Every structure is written in structure tokens, then in C-alpha cells.
Amino acid sequence: MLRRIASVLGAAVLGAAVISGPATPAAAAVTPSLTATIALNNCSASLVRYPTSLDTDRAMMLTNGHCYEGGMPANGVVLQNKTSTRSGTLLSSSGSSLGTVRADTLLYATMTGTDVSLYRLTTTFAALKSSYGVTALTITNTHPVDGSSMFIPSGYWKRTWNCSINGFVATLKEDQWTWRDSIRYNTGCNTIHGTSGSPIVEVSTGKVIGINNTGNDNGGLCTLNNPCEVDANGTKRAYQGQSYGQEVYWFTTCLNASNQITLTISGCLLTKPA
């Protein structure tokens, strides 16, 4: 996982991260920036909405399951609708602090099948737009496409990584956790500790197509901070320096008419409680 913060590592690689230019908020192709990112105390996050969200709805904050303030959920654990006071700093396109956003509810979190935490904030999308001029990023409702150009903006480091998708991993395993249909990044897209929870934004649409969650630190096989790819025959392979993300369109397969996550909906892809 990419949550742990190592000061020596951070100092060594900060200069290698790509610093993005000014934002151009648009529904079409976007310039990589830190727009709508959120800095947490130990991870990155983003201000997000569903494709069907209304401006009057409560805003939402997306990060990894392993960034949950209660600790990393064990394999098989699914958390829903839990009271939360998680807060973060909302950033501008250039990374300056705009203000504090605070959650009141953890809507969903797990590290089984995927690695996500989604929070409901105490204020609406419209209120945040009025106060800070920030429009939430939209979670895609379709599967990401191999080869797509994307960028990964980290609220924690206030930096972006410009990358592309290099296929999908049917089974990705790290320590006790197993993830499905994970996004594999191109060689050289080496996200670092602290980038956990950063959105993966598709350049052509500006939509969130995934969430950054892990990378293989030292070539270990299926150990903590060393995820491995497992093929259909059960063969495990690890690639030092390889980074991965998880898909987020799964959320849109589980929404009822009121935009509430309902895991019993037919076709819902999110992990259900054991």
C-alpha cells in the first residue's frame, strides 16, 4: 500500500514527480492539475460526485480503504454508513489550501475485492462551489480503457503523475488482501507512499476512472507493499516498481434511485459483507 510516509523516500522522489500546469475545468479533455484534490493527514483524497448527483446533494470524498481512520479493514470486512469526523484540506488547481472539508458519514469502505473509502461531507456540492469555486470530479460509469492517458494528482504531495493504463490485472494480491480487475500503470509511472487515495483521472474526459492504491516496493512476492499478479493458473509474479489502481465505476452499479449505495441491487459490483 502507498499510505506509509517515509521522509527519506519522499525527499528523494519529489523532484521526479510531474508538477502540473493550471487547470482548465471542462467536460472534455483536461490539463493535469490538482483541482478538487484533498490532503489528508496520511493519504490523498478527492472531491467526487456520481454522474447522477445533484448540486444540492451532500458532497463526497473518495480515498482508499487502507486510508480509513479506523485502520486497514481486514480481509472480508465491509463497512457501511458509519459515523465519521474525517477531515481534509481542499486544494486549488495549483495546490494551495482553500479550506477544510469534514465528513459526517463513511458511506462505504473495504479492502476486499477493491480498496476504497467513500465519505459523505457535511456540506453540499453547491456550497463548496460557491465558497471555493471548486467543482467535484465525476466518477465514471464505464470500465476504463486500456492505453488511456491519465494523471494521478496527489493531495498529500501536491504533485501529479502523468501516466497511461497498461492493461488490467484479473487478480492482484497483497498480504491478506485480494483485488479484482486492477488497473496496471505504464512502466515508469511509479507513485510513492502518500499518494494512496489519489484519483486516477482520464485526460480525455476529466472523469475519475480509478483510485491509486499500491505499488511493489522491492520485488517481494505478495507481501505488504509488494503486490503480485496472479494468473488464471495461480502463478504469482511480482514486478518491482510496478504501480496499480482500482476501478471506481463499480459505485455506479450499486446506486438506487436516491443515489444511495445499495449492495443488493442486481449487477452491483462492490464487495458485499461476508
Side-chain angles (χ1 to χ4, degrees):
M1 263 77 73
L2 296 172
R3 180 180 68 174
R4 274 190 308 111
I5 306 303
S7 58
V8 174
L9 174 64
V13 297
L14 270 178
V18 178
I19 301 177
S20 64
T24 306
V30 295
T31 300
S33 79
L34 292 164
T35 296
T37 58
I38 297 171
L40 301 177
N41 64 331
N42 61 349
C43 285
S44 301
S46 58
L47 181 68
V48 297
R49 64 190 300 148
Y50 302 129
T52 51
S53 291
L54 302 176
D55 289 346
T56 51
D57 290 342
R58 294 276 202 93
M60 297 182 294
M61 179 173 69
L62 177 68
T63 188
N64 281 146
H66 74 261
C67 295
Y68 169 56
E69 67 270 32
M72 295 190 290
N75 182 49
V77 172
V78 174
L79 305 172
Q80 269 196 290
N81 300 320
K82 293 179 65 69
T83 299
S84 174
T85 58
R86 192 75 192 267
S87 65
T89 303
L90 182 65
L91 304 179
S92 70
S93 62
S94 62
S96 61
S97 299
L98 296 175
T100 298
V101 292
R102 189 175 301 277
D104 62 7
T105 303
L106 174 71
L107 296 173
Y108 180 90
T110 192
M111 287 181 65
T112 303
T114 186
D115 183 12
V116 294
S117 290
L118 185 66
Y119 294 85
R120 186 184 70 181
L121 300 181
T122 57
T123 191
T124 65
F125 294 110
L128 289 175
K129 178 67 178 295
S130 175
S131 297
Y132 305 119
V134 174
T135 299
L137 301 171
T138 299
I139 293 175
T140 187
N141 59 0
T142 59
H143 191 285
V145 177
D146 189 14
S148 296
S149 295
M150 45 109 166
F151 64 95
I152 304 169
S154 167
Y156 185 91
W157 288 118
K158 299 180 176 62
R159 299 288 188 271
T160 67
W161 280 253
N162 294 330
C163 306
S164 62
I165 295 177
N166 180 26
F168 304 93
V169 183
T171 303
L172 186 69
K173 183 173 177 59
E174 180 174 339
D175 199 351
Q176 65 179 283
W177 299 282
T178 300
W179 303 307
R180 298 181 286 113
D181 201 15
S182 301
I183 300 170
R184 183 196 297 114
Y185 304 165
N186 64 290
T187 301
C189 182
N190 300 324
T191 49
I192 61 174
H193 291 283
T195 61
S196 282
S198 300
I200 302 172
V201 183
E202 187 176 46
V203 172
S204 63
T205 64
K207 293 182 179 180
V208 180
I209 58 174
I211 183 168
N212 180 60
N213 85 304
T214 195
N216 189 294
D217 280 354
N218 53 36
L221 190 66
C222 312
T223 59
L224 189 65
N225 298 313
N226 291 289
C228 66
E229 300 183 15
V230 185
D231 67 19
N233 297 317
T235 302
K236 300 172 182 177
R237 295 182 174 87
Y239 305 94
Q240 186 173 2
Q242 181 64 59
S243 296
Y244 303 91
Q246 303 305 315
E247 297 169 5
V248 293
Y249 83 95
W250 293 9
F251 281 109
T252 67
T253 68
C254 304
L255 299 178
N256 64 20
S258 300
N259 274 344
Q260 297 171 326
I261 296 173
T262 306
L263 300 180
T264 55
I265 290 177
S266 177
C268 173
L269 295 175
L270 289 173
T271 304
K272 288 79 174 172

